[in-house]
Every structure is written in C-alpha cells, then in structure tokens.
C-alpha cells in the first residue's frame, strides 16, 4: 500500500483538482490505482474507470463534494483543510483489482484522429 494526500484522492473521486501538489500528484495516484503507466491524454478515461475502485476502498469519499465554485485559491485550501481535519491528511491506497491499461497510441488515434497523430517507430 502507498499513502496519498486527501486532496489527490478527492481530485480523483470528484474530478475537481484540489490537490496541493497539483496535477503531477493526481497523475501519480491514477497510475498507482491503474497498476502501471497512464499517459496524459488517457487520464480522463482512466480516472473515470478507476474512481469507483478508489471510492470502494474509502467509501466516505463519496460524501465529499467540493463547492460548485471557489471564490479564490485561498478558498480551495481552506475548504481542503476542513476536509483534512474531518478525514485525515494521508490515506493508504492499493491498486484497483484488474488495474487499467490501454494502448496509448491507439487511444491517441481514437481521440485525435490519424490525420493529427504522427507515429514514429524507432528500432
């Protein structure tokens, strides 16, 4: 098991970025849940697929909903501090059973179309 910050976990479970370490830490959590690499363009699909597994490990996450709109960045951190006080700052997370893996090139082609993707094969 690996411990992750509550803000990272809320970001994955709600789709709202409230992670103090930002995008990189959320990406690290998604890859941990997936059990392997997830390319940036795959993050939305991987997050959607893996969020239920994260909530299954920590069902109380389902009850956490960030405000629809934050007044400013300070509001985000005040709100997150309230959640940390209530639930704790770090929690152990295990990879989701079965993980998540898809071919990143196939996903690129599907998302952007073959006319917008240049595949370079190296020996």
């Amino acid at each position: 098991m690996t411990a992750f910050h509550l803000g990272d976990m809320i970001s994955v479970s709600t789709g709202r970025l409230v992670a103090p370490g930002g995008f990189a830490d959320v990406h690290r959590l998604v890859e941990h849940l997936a059990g392997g690499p997830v390319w940036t363009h795959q993050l939305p699909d991987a997050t959607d697929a893996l969020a239920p597994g994260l909530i299954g490990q920590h069902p109380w996450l389902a009850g956490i909903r960030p405000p629809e709109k934050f007044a400013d960045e300070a509001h985000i951190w005040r709100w997150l501090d309230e959640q940390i006080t209530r639930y704790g700052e770090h929690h152990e997370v295990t990879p989701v059973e079965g993980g998540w893996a898809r071919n990143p090139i196939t996903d690129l082609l599907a998302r952007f179309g073959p006319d917008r993707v240049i595949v370079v094969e190296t020996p």
Side-chain angles (χ1 to χ4, degrees):
M1 274 200 236
T2 303
F4 287 88
H5 192 278
L6 179 61
D8 304 335
M9 296 168 66
I10 293 171
S11 297
V12 169
S13 67
T14 68
R16 301 280 307 281
L17 184 61
V18 294
F23 177 78
D25 286 348
V26 174
H27 194 161
R28 189 173 66 86
L29 173 54
V30 171
E31 286 189 327
H32 177 74
L33 290 165
V38 176
W39 289 26
T40 306
H41 66 279
Q42 295 178 303
L43 278 171
D45 291 343
T47 301
D48 288 348
L50 296 165
L54 176 62
I55 293 168
Q57 292 179 46
H58 301 282
W60 46 267
L61 280 170
I64 300 177
R65 292 283 164 238
E68 190 62 37
K69 184 172 177 134
F70 288 104
D72 54 24
E73 187 175 344
H75 183 199
I76 296 169
W77 307 134
R78 280 192 311 275
W79 177 85
L80 183 58
D81 283 343
E82 292 170 6
Q83 307 315 304
I84 289 168
T85 298
R86 186 172 298 139
Y87 299 102
E89 188 167 9
H90 293 91
H91 299 274
E92 295 291 325
V93 176
T94 59
V96 170
E97 187 174 330
W100 186 92
R102 291 199 322 218
N103 182 301
I105 302 303
T106 302
D107 279 356
L108 265 177
L109 292 168
R111 183 172 297 271
F112 299 108
D115 56 322
R116 295 184 60 205
V117 175
I118 299 171
V119 177
V120 177
E121 294 184 33
T122 59

